Each structure stands twice: as C-alpha cells, then as structure tokens.
Amino acid sequence: MTAIPQGRTRRAALVTAICACAVTGTAVLSGCDGDPDAGTNGVGKLPAATIQAKTRAAAQGAPAVRLSGTVVTSGRTYQLDMRLKADGGTGSVTSKGATFKLLRVGKQLYLKADADFWNQAGGNDGGEGAGGKLNGKYVKVPQDDPAYKKFSGFTDKDVLLDGLLTLHGALATDGHHDDAGTPTIRITGDKGSGGTLDVSLQGQPYPLRLVRAGGAGTLSFSDWGKDFTVAGPAKGETVDYGRQLPTS
C-alpha cells in the first residue's frame, strides 16, 4: 500500500476547511461552489412572490410571536413591544412620549397607564383627577369605544401581521443578508420603495425584519412559536373609566 505524503494530506484538509467555513459579509457559504442556499431551508432560491407567500403562511401558522419597533399610522408614530397569540396579546405602546400597556384576553381589551397619562388624556377634574383613580390599574375598554377599534389591532396577531406583511409594487429578491446571526433572504417591493422584508433561511421561513413603505416604520419579529400565557387581571386591579377612552 502506497503511503500518502503528509504534506498532501495537510493541504487537502486545509482546502476542505476553507470550503466548509468560507464566509462572505452576509452569508455563510456551505460547499466550495459558494452556494449561499446550501444547508438552508431553500426559500432563497424561489421567486420573490413565492417567498412572500411562504413567509405569510409560516407567520399565520405560528402559535405566537413577539414584535418590536415602530409603526406609523394616520401620521402618528407608535413604538411597539408586543407578544401575540391567537387568543390574545400583551405588551407596551409608546406614543408622543406616553407609554401604556395593552392586554387582550379573548375579546376583552384592557389598557393600563400611569396617572400622568390619564390626567393628560382626560384633564384634571379636581382632587386627584382621573389619574388618581386609574393610576396603575387595568381599565376595561368597551367594544363600542373608539379606543377599542384603534388599539385592539395592536394585540391581534392575525390582523396585525396581515396588515404588515405586505410589500407594495413589483416584488424582487435583494440578496442574502444576516439578522442577528440568522441568514436571511431579502425581498423588496418596487426596489425597496414599497418596503423590504428579511426572511429566515433557517427552519421555517419566518419574517425577521420589516421596513415598511414610505417610512411607515421598522419592525423586528422574534420568539416565533414560543408560547406564553395571557390571563385577565385580578378583580382588584381593574376599574371602569366612566367616559370615552383617549385614543392619542
């Protein structure tokens, strides 16, 4: 049996290591052919419209998700940090420097804020004002109150994702990228002016980062499929506002 020269063995091992571990700025390449889709879920090879359809289906099928970032609607910017599932959601919303918490259990929506929020929203009506009664309490939002329609959407997984995960204009792919260590394929609408969406190339093709068209906000998605509990507050933690709730 002819022995293989030791130097040749080392060179072969080096070439193998380089091929297996080669990295280019936005994607890890598996294999010497530099295929950025090798070892992924394969959606990076698909047309943009198909990728969008698959990522929407994956998002709708996931039992839970966390989303954070900004949404601009009706000229107002909202900073969101929400955890959502089919039967409810919870998290915080900040707008115009005021932060309040939202909790939805089934169809029942609650809003919780500090005294300053309520006093600014409803005015100080003497004594402690509205804030004295409502500070740190969960306020039930009636379903016929305008605030319910405005804020319940922030807690509704299907409604919120259906409205957000839409790119406008002609769809196209825009290369392989990386989101916090996860390789992604980016799709765009109208070369980016209609929004961009980074889709995971690992596991399910979940959306990971969305830049909305027209500067309407940027959102990150995480904790796909990680369940959590939504439960109504204790009776002593809830109060009635007694008037129309503020929507600003």
Side-chain angles (χ1 to χ4, degrees):
M1 179 176 178
T2 304
I4 299 175
Q6 190 173 27
R8 185 183 301 174
T9 302
R10 289 174 179 169
R11 285 195 298 272
L14 179 60
V15 170
T16 300
I18 292 173
C19 289
C21 303
V23 176
T24 70
T26 58
V28 177
L29 307 181
S30 299
C32 297
D33 58 357
D35 180 6
D37 292 300
T40 71
N41 56 23
V43 299
K45 298 180 178 181
L46 302 176
T50 304
I51 297 173
Q52 181 175 15
K54 284 185 172 293
T55 196
R56 289 175 68 92
Q60 291 169 357
V65 64
R66 180 175 184 174
L67 63 85
S68 58
T70 57
V71 171
V72 181
T73 179
S74 300
R76 178 160 296 173
T77 299
Y78 296 93
Q79 182 77 34
L80 306 180
D81 186 1
M82 302 295 301
R83 298 188 70 188
L84 310 172
K85 58 191 299 185
D87 59 349
T90 183
S92 65
V93 179
T94 301
S95 178
K96 289 189 173 181
T99 298
F100 53 93
K101 293 184 178 180
L102 293 175
L103 169 65
R104 184 177 61 83
V105 184
K107 292 185 178 181
Q108 183 60 62
L109 178 68
Y110 301 89
L111 189 153
K112 180 179 179 181
D114 61 17
D116 287 342
F117 173 89
W118 292 112
N119 285 333
Q120 290 174 16
N124 194 312
D125 52 9
E128 293 182 318
K133 176 184 177 183
L134 306 176
N135 180 35
K137 299 288 188 178
Y138 284 98
V139 176
K140 291 183 178 180
V141 183
Q143 293 184 40
D144 60 355
D145 193 297
Y148 187 95
K149 181 178 180 180
K150 184 164 188 176
F151 295 138
S152 63
F154 289 150
T155 67
D156 192 313
K157 173 180 174 287
D158 290 338
V159 169
L160 192 57
L161 293 182
D162 187 60
L164 291 174
L165 298 179
T166 299
L167 301 178
H168 302 282
L171 297 179
T173 56
D174 186 29
H176 291 71
H177 298 264
D178 178 278
D179 186 88
T182 300
T184 66
I185 182 70
R186 180 171 297 169
I187 56 176
T188 66
D190 274 349
K191 299 181 179 180
S193 63
T196 68
L197 182 65
D198 282 36
V199 177
S200 176
L201 290 176
Q202 290 182 349
Q204 292 292 321
Y206 291 129
L208 297 183
R209 185 174 186 272
L210 170 71
V211 178
R212 302 183 71 202
T218 300
L219 288 164
S220 295
F221 304 89
S222 60
D223 292 348
W224 285 105
K226 292 185 178 181
D227 198 12
F228 62 97
T229 300
V230 287
K235 185 177 294 186
E237 295 180 318
T238 62
V239 294
D240 292 323
Y241 186 47
R243 67 184 83 171
Q244 182 174 303
L245 271 74
T247 58
S248 59

